[in-house]
Amino acid sequence: MSPVLVDASRYFTGRGLELYQDQAIVAGEWPSPVGLSLGILSVIVGQALVMLYFFLWRNYCKPTPIQQAGAVPYSFAEAVRTHLAEPGGFLLMGGYLCGTWMFNLMPRSYYSFQGGIEWQHVLTQLMVTDFVQYLMHYLEHKAHPLLYKHSHKPHHRFINPRWADAFNGSAPDTILMILIPLFTSANVVHCNVWSYMAFGTIYSGYLTMIHSEYTHPWDSAFRKLGIITAGDHHVHHSAFPNINDGLPPSDAQTIA
């Protein structure tokens, strides 16, 4: 276990993280918020690194715009403010993380600090979450025009999205597309808190990356692995203009 984390934990709580390993979940008692706090901190650091990447990539590397019309011009400071201030995004997700953790709604293994990151669990979480998200996405587009209009349609007003539009949508869309897949994955894959942190950090970063207005250096490798790229996602956004109140055309339904 990292000495830095142990020292930080002792500083803030007076105890080391080892005291939280395999902590018992006793009825009527609140679980320790240490794992929750570290997890949220991990996502914050991950998002900060993603934003730093976009700043450097956009301003100093002359990346290729995904759409022929070019990237939408914007102030990077405005994009950061927009990205962080979305109530339908980070606020709902933060509430979900705090609520499921503090009310003991997560499987028991998630409260354990034993071991390190188990990457097979991280990969399985990503796969399960992606599959359930695909089902929810398909449901929003296909179930009924009213469901699409009041859930996913606000996100599709971005025909030429940028990275800061990743979580810019509606509360119902966040619940269906993010929170339900997250909760399903948590109950399918029983991992420790370190794996949960790694998964959440990677997942939030990936959702931001696929809304990039520019290509990424790793896109060709991702396509060979069958992983959706920002270019693939732009095809989907450009295929569903905001004026569409009905069922979307079938030629782009398989593009995530």
Side-chain angles (χ1 to χ4, degrees):
M1 186 175 298
S2 169
V4 175
L5 288 176
V6 173
D7 290 342
S9 174
R10 285 181 174 142
Y11 178 80
F12 287 109
T13 68
R15 293 177 289 181
L17 285 175
E18 65 272 11
L19 297 182
Y20 296 99
Q21 291 182 353
D22 281 337
Q23 61 183 22
I25 305 301
V26 181
E29 292 188 6
W30 296 106
S32 165
V34 173
L36 170 66
S37 302
L38 290 176
I40 292 176
L41 178 61
S42 177
V43 172
I44 291 173
V45 171
Q47 283 293 305
L49 292 175
V50 167
M51 289 186 284
L52 176 62
Y53 158 77
F54 274 115
F55 177 79
L56 297 175
W57 184 240
R58 173 178 181 256
N59 293 318
Y60 298 103
C61 299
K62 297 182 179 179
T64 303
I66 290 175
Q67 297 199 21
Q68 292 183 351
V72 175
Y74 62 89
S75 160
F76 194 82
E78 174 275 321
V80 171
R81 290 194 299 269
T82 298
H83 183 58
L84 298 178
E86 291 303 328
F90 289 109
L91 183 62
L92 267 178
M93 286 186 283
Y96 162 84
L97 293 173
C98 293
T100 53
W101 183 276
M102 296 306 298
F103 286 99
N104 294 327
L105 299 179
M106 302 297 288
R108 189 185 187 91
S109 65
Y110 281 73
Y111 298 90
S112 173
F113 284 92
Q114 282 195 341
I117 298 173
E118 299 180 80
W119 291 105
Q120 71 274 19
H121 287 162
V122 176
L123 179 60
T124 308
Q125 284 177 300
L126 289 169
M127 294 174 66
V128 171
T129 303
D130 184 67
F131 177 69
V132 179
Q133 188 176 43
Y134 164 77
L135 294 179
M136 293 296 102
H137 190 202
Y138 187 83
L139 177 70
E140 285 183 315
H141 275 293
K142 292 287 287 183
H144 195 278
L146 285 178
L147 177 61
Y148 172 71
K149 180 178 180 179
H150 294 290
S151 61
H152 200 47
K153 179 183 174 181
H155 185 62
H156 270 290
R157 71 182 184 273
F158 303 109
I159 298 175
N160 188 357
R162 57 182 183 167
W163 65 270
D165 299 325
F167 301 108
N168 196 334
S170 69
D173 191 40
T174 301
I175 293 170
L176 289 170
M177 286 276 287
I178 297 180
L179 303 191
I180 289 177
L182 284 178
F183 193 67
T184 302
S185 174
N187 284 276
V188 171
V189 185
H190 292 189
C191 65
N192 64 23
V193 69
W194 303 115
S195 300
Y196 188 36
M197 291 181 205
F199 156 71
T201 304
I202 294 170
Y203 178 62
S204 64
Y206 176 70
L207 289 181
T208 307
M209 290 286 192
I210 63 171
H211 286 83
S212 170
E213 64 273 28
Y214 299 104
T215 59
H216 298 300
W218 52 80
D219 282 352
S220 59
F222 271 29
R223 286 197 177 96
K224 291 178 182 178
L225 294 172
I227 301 174
I228 292 296
T229 66
D232 300 322
H233 199 67
H234 266 256
V235 173
H236 179 64
H237 269 266
S238 62
F240 298 101
N242 191 43
I243 59 173
N244 180 15
D245 285 316
L247 294 176
S250 60
D251 60 350
Q253 288 169 358
T254 59
I255 301 174

